[in-house]
Each structure stands twice: as structure tokens, then as C-alpha cells.
Amino acid sequence: MKFKKITAVSSAIIMASLSLVGCGSQTSSKTEKGSKDLKIGMVADVGGINDESFNQSAWEGLQKAKKDFGLDVKVIESKQASEYITNMESLIDDGVDLVIGVGNTMKDDIKKEAENYPDQQFVLIDETYDEIPKNVTPILFKENEAAYLTGLIAGKMTKTNNVGFIGGMQNPVISRFEYGYMAGVKEANKDAEVKTQYAGTFGDAAKGKSIANQMYGNNIDVILSAAGATGIGAIESAKEKGKFAIGVDRDQSDLAPDNVLTSALKMVNVGVYDTAKELVDGKLTGGENKVYGLKENGVGIPESTKKLVSQEILDYVNGVVEKIKSGEIKVPATKEEYNTTQK
């Protein structure tokens, strides 16, 4: 049983004691459930599950969990941010055991719903809280580590010493991509310059292509786009102009096999799958961050990188991977940390 937040003090006291009873019975019933009786709902952000990036990776992880554990899953795509709460409540009304919100733009809405439904478990991907609600599990990634590796490759592969970065919207997640990438480029090639531009959207491939066209026209020969579906346009531009692009979140080499050097993998699918398994095993508790970096095999670069990148460069990158895992190299995640590394 899931209760709405009660505002009256006397009612809150009564309902609090009732909710304790309800919570106990719900936990017992879930323990007795087989995995086929468990239901997981996912709310995709405005990029949609066919964005070839972040949302699609989350969807793939959920589909794998459905296949492996026999789960009942439901996915709702959001056309605009104002639909997030409505879509979450639709899943809750449908009786799901876990609601997964894809994207940091759902941070406030998930917190509100977690307060309104204290017996409902939630997952928030790409954001966390100073005080994490006990029924929310934030899943975070060290995007800066994956981007750093792609920056090393860009720094070694550029012929013009000019590379680019296209961001979707400015937020801490995209900043981790940006400054990790910049640090990698500079580590591999002190003479290289990184030009950055933000599109202001994660869902406009035409705008991504327009920005990339301009960058390539200004002597930039490698671009990393951390911009969701907007980045698909940048890859299309690279394909048309015979330049290099770097994919994001998923292995995007299939979009332009002769132009996508590598991809900054952010394995949202792994985070979603692991969390679904915890639910099945009765080990999902909430209230704590789950963080995936190189050490946890949650970020990296794909096997397809070897198609366009020499073994010499790959050996160099693999050596750096081990130094990051051991803590010898600390990859910057913010502008302040990046500036410190450049002194």
C-alpha cells in the first residue's frame, strides 16, 4: 500500500503508524513474490528511448533484465519535462515495484514523489541529493574518466591540433564529460586546443549538425558530443565531411563506422540491470548512491575503437586506464579541478 503525503499533523501521526504496518506487509509480500511477479517501470526523458544514447542504454539494460529475470516492465517516454510526474504516477498506479527516472532533470520530481509515496522504491539516474531519501537509489557515473580516454585518443589523432566538444545543456554531468575530455586531450597533446559549444538541448539533431558543420569548417577535425540525440547530428556531419567524431554513452560506431573514432561509454544499461537484479534478490534498500567508474567497469571505450585507432595509441590508453584505476591519475570533473591540472 502506498500513501500520499498527509499535511495535517494529527492525521500524519495516525497515518504514520498505519504506514508502518502497511510497509511491513508490503515487504513481506514482495519477498514472497517470484521475479515474474515483480514489475519495473521506467520514465524516459525527452530524448526518448531511440536517442542512440543515454535513454536507449537504460532501455537496453531494462530489456536484458526482463529477459534474464522474467520481469514485467513498462516504459513511458516523456515528450516534455512537465510530464515526468504524471508518467511516474501512472506507473505507481499500475503497481510497479520500482520506478526508474532517466536523467538528472527528474531530480526534483522524483524527490517529490518519493515523499508522497514513502513505500515506493525509486531510482534516479545521473543525479543525487545532499540527503538521499530512504526510498531512492541514485545511480551516478564517472563520465569524466571515459571522456578522458577519448580525449587521449583525440589528442593523438588530430592532424590540425584543433578538436571540439559539443554539450547538450550545461549541468554537472555534461561538465564531467567536458573537463575530462579536455584534460585527456591536453595530456596527450600539449599543442592541441579544445573549442567548446553548447547546443542548449539534448533533442535537436539538426542543431548538433549545424554546430559540427561550423566547427569542422574552422579546422577542427575531431569532435566529442555529449548531447544525447543532438549529438547524432554531429556524427552525421562528420560522415558527410570526412572528419572524425567521438560517440557518447553507447558504442555509436554503427552510425558512421569510418568516422566514429571511439565512444565515451557510460554504461547506464549496466546500472539499470544491476539495480533490477538487486530488486529480484531482495537487496535493493535505497538511501545510498551507486557510483560506476573505470574501476567498477561502468565507463570506458568500446572494442570497436581498434578499427580506426592504432595499437600503439590503444596501448598508451590502456596504460592510463590502469593508472586511473589505481588512483595514480585523478581525472578532473569540474572546471576548477581542470584548471588545477593545467597549472
Side-chain angles (χ1 to χ4, degrees), residues 24 42 97 115 129 145 196 221 228 237 250 266 305 327 339:
M42 187 177 89
D97 297 283
E115 292 171 350
Y129 307 92
E145 294 184 349
T196 295
D221 58 355
S237 173
R250 301 171 67 250
K266 174 177 174 177
T305 304
N339 288 339

Side-chain angles (χ1 to χ4, degrees), residues 40 50 55 87 90 135 157 201 217 241 278 304 318:
I40 298 180
N50 294 314
N55 285 276
N87 291 340
S90 175
N135 55 334
M157 295 288 290
T201 175
K241 294 183 175 298
E278 287 183 6
S304 62
N318 288 332

